[in-house]
Amino acid sequence: MGLVRSRRLASGDLASAIDRVVADGNCAGCGLCALLSGDVKMQLNSQGFLRPALRPSADRSPLSDAEFVAACPGVQVSSPKRNPGADSNAILGRALGAWQAWACDEEIRFAGSSGGVLTALASWMVESDQDGPVIGAQSDLDQPTRTASVAIESRGQALRSAGSRYAPVATLAFPGAAKSRALIVKPCEASALRALTDRRAEDAPLLLSFFCAGTPSQTSTDGLLRMLGLRTEDVTTLRYRGNGWPGRFTASDGVTHVSESYEAAWGKWLGRDLQDRCKICVDGTGEHADISVGDYWKSDPYGYPEFSEAPGVSAVIARTPRGLEVIRRAVQEGVIGATPISLNSIARVQPLQKQRRRTLLARVAGRLARGRRVPRYIGYPLWRGLVADPARSATAFLGSIRRSGGRPT
């Protein structure tokens, strides 16, 4: 089964198409709709997820939904075209090259969530020429517990943006994002922008993505802070990871400093409150990007991470000829160090991505059984996961039926 079908959105105005995706619980909070229309802004809803809202406008005219339907990851996601000579993996998708890699700049390597590769690439690109900023994300300057998109224009700004952000952010809604030189984006944002630029027959910015386990609610961050003894309104600094690998969740109100291990912060708090769309995500490893980066964990014999502190190391995948050339140049210029590895070696230390891909068809089927619409996944052989692990798929199907009766987020 290479195609999961949902009921097609009827042609009409953009507002109706957006409302349908949100009502069905399929919104990824990526900001594509805000990129398409100035009448749309992204704001946190009562569950702590970013959702589109229409700005008040008395003279608003109907807006075409054609581009939205073609590119919104809550409507459909098409498998990327395979480049000639590319290798492929059932979990990770296609690749022209794969490496274990790290930033050669030790300060950047230490600050990054894993090996600091994305931070190093962003710093190198903006410091080496003046072709414009790289769009990324960092702690909001006015509300440090929140995450905001930012234009990175210097090494210092790249360092301030280093480290994962386990909270909602809509990078595509950032002004000028689609025309920037490069973006550091979630996999869903990469697929949306790639589909949009393909439709418009224009070049996309260089897309740098990362392995994503889902977007936690903002309320999860707030709850974790309260558990550690801080009021969110008093927090002056917050980091989810970084400053070592895998790094710790750390926060301060200027007087009290608190921290929690990555394993506990993600496993017991943040990773337990993901938006609905993330639970049926077909691409957690940035297949539509030019370059995708993830943790290259030290692992036990079953592939599960060992969370002992160590110098960070990233798994890096070049997805396109453009991405491959960037990696080659970065290695030649001493921006990153890299050693070639196989896709299988990366997949072995990404058990969560493996389990999610293998049980995706079952989870989607569970939603359909409850009468919920789902995105169309075109060109993905999801049936292979059902064949590979039927027992776990059965459990995932029943769990999806149970959860799909709740309120979409």
Side-chain angles (χ1 to χ4, degrees):
M1 183 176 179
L3 172 63
V4 174
R5 293 186 179 274
S6 63
R7 283 174 281 174
R8 295 288 300 230
L9 290 174
S11 178
D13 66 273
L14 180 60
S16 296
I18 293 171
D19 287 346
R20 180 66 57 84
V21 171
V22 174
D24 290 337
N26 291 326
C27 179
C30 68
L32 172 74
C33 44
L35 183 155
L36 292 173
S37 171
D39 283 336
V40 179
K41 63 178 180 178
M42 302 298 293
Q43 61 185 29
L44 286 175
N45 67 6
S46 59
Q47 286 81 45
F49 298 104
L50 282 173
R51 294 293 179 261
L54 290 177
R55 302 175 189 270
S57 177
D59 59 351
R60 183 186 301 113
S61 59
L63 298 164
S64 171
D65 68 349
E67 288 188 323
F68 175 80
V69 170
C72 171
V75 178
Q76 65 180 10
V77 179
S78 296
S79 176
K81 295 179 181 178
R82 184 174 176 181
N83 293 294
D87 193 6
S88 65
N89 178 275
I91 307 302
L92 302 172
R94 87 251 190 262
L96 292 174
W99 304 263
Q100 59 174 333
W102 54 91
C104 292
D105 183 318
E106 289 299 325
E107 185 179 11
I108 287 178
R109 184 178 186 179
F110 180 74
S113 289
S114 53
V117 170
L118 290 176
T119 305
L121 291 176
S123 175
W124 169 56
M125 283 189 281
V126 298
E127 292 282 339
S128 60
D129 56 55
Q130 302 297 318
D131 285 346
V134 173
I135 308 303
Q138 67 176 37
S139 181
D140 190 288
L141 296 178
D142 297 321
Q143 294 178 285
T145 61
R146 303 285 179 87
T147 300
S149 299
V150 62
I152 299 170
E153 299 182 280
S154 67
R155 178 181 179 277
Q157 288 179 323
L159 275 168
R160 286 193 291 275
S161 300
S164 296
R165 302 294 305 177
Y166 296 128
V169 63
T171 309
L172 300 188
F174 188 79
K179 299 297 183 182
S180 65
R181 61 178 306 177
L183 294 106
I184 301 172
V185 290
K186 299 186 293 290
C188 57
E189 294 169 334
S191 71
L193 191 54
R194 184 74 70 189
L196 181 63
T197 53
D198 283 352
R199 182 180 176 85
R200 293 179 173 181
E202 62 184 31
D203 292 334
L206 182 73
L207 298 180
L208 307 172
S209 193
F210 44 84
F211 294 7
C212 179
T215 299
S217 166
Q218 181 64 44
T219 61
S220 293
T221 295
D222 298 343
L224 178 54
L225 288 167
R226 287 194 297 271
M227 187 274 292
L228 294 172
L230 291 183
R231 299 194 311 168
T232 56
E233 59 269 30
D234 295 335
V235 171
T236 55
T237 61
L238 184 150
R239 289 181 66 91
Y240 289 91
R241 283 182 65 189
N243 289 339
W245 186 50
R248 297 179 64 86
F249 177 93
T250 60
S252 173
D253 61 6
V255 177
T256 302
H257 303 269
V258 299
S259 77
E260 183 62 276
S261 70
Y262 166 70
E263 184 177 12
W266 173 262
K268 296 180 179 179
W269 284 89
L270 305 172
R272 293 180 177 271
D273 188 15
L274 306 180
Q275 60 185 353
D276 276 8
R277 171 60 176 77
C278 296
K279 297 170 186 175
I280 54 167
C281 180
V282 73
D283 172 22
T285 63
E287 293 182 45
H288 292 82
D290 295 290
I291 297 167
S292 57
V293 177
D295 285 289
Y296 194 57
W297 298 106
K298 295 180 180 179
S299 63
D300 64 20
Y302 302 98
Y304 287 91
E306 295 179 359
F307 295 105
S308 56
E309 292 289 323
V313 180
S314 300
V316 177
I317 301 175
R319 305 285 193 180
T320 65
R322 187 182 183 188
L324 180 61
E325 177 59 24
V326 169
I327 295 299
R328 286 175 172 169
R329 285 181 51 215
V331 171
Q332 290 171 357
E333 297 188 24
V335 177
I336 60 174
T339 302
I341 54 176
S342 69
L343 292 178
N344 287 340
S345 69
I346 300 174
R348 277 196 297 269
V349 297
Q350 291 289 334
L352 177 61
Q353 298 293 349
K354 180 178 180 179
Q355 178 179 333
R356 286 188 169 186
R357 178 62 71 91
R358 282 188 169 182
T359 60
L360 177 57
L361 181 58
R363 284 179 278 117
V364 166
R367 287 205 185 184
L368 290 172
R370 291 299 296 262
R372 296 271 296 274
R373 290 182 177 86
V374 298
R376 301 174 69 229
Y377 294 141
I378 304 168
Y380 290 94
L382 303 183
W383 58 269
R384 292 179 181 174
L386 183 64
V387 172
D389 199 340
R392 186 166 287 177
S393 290
T395 300
F397 173 71
L398 295 174
S400 182
I401 287 179
R402 184 179 66 254
R403 290 189 300 271
S404 295
R407 184 179 180 184
T409 55

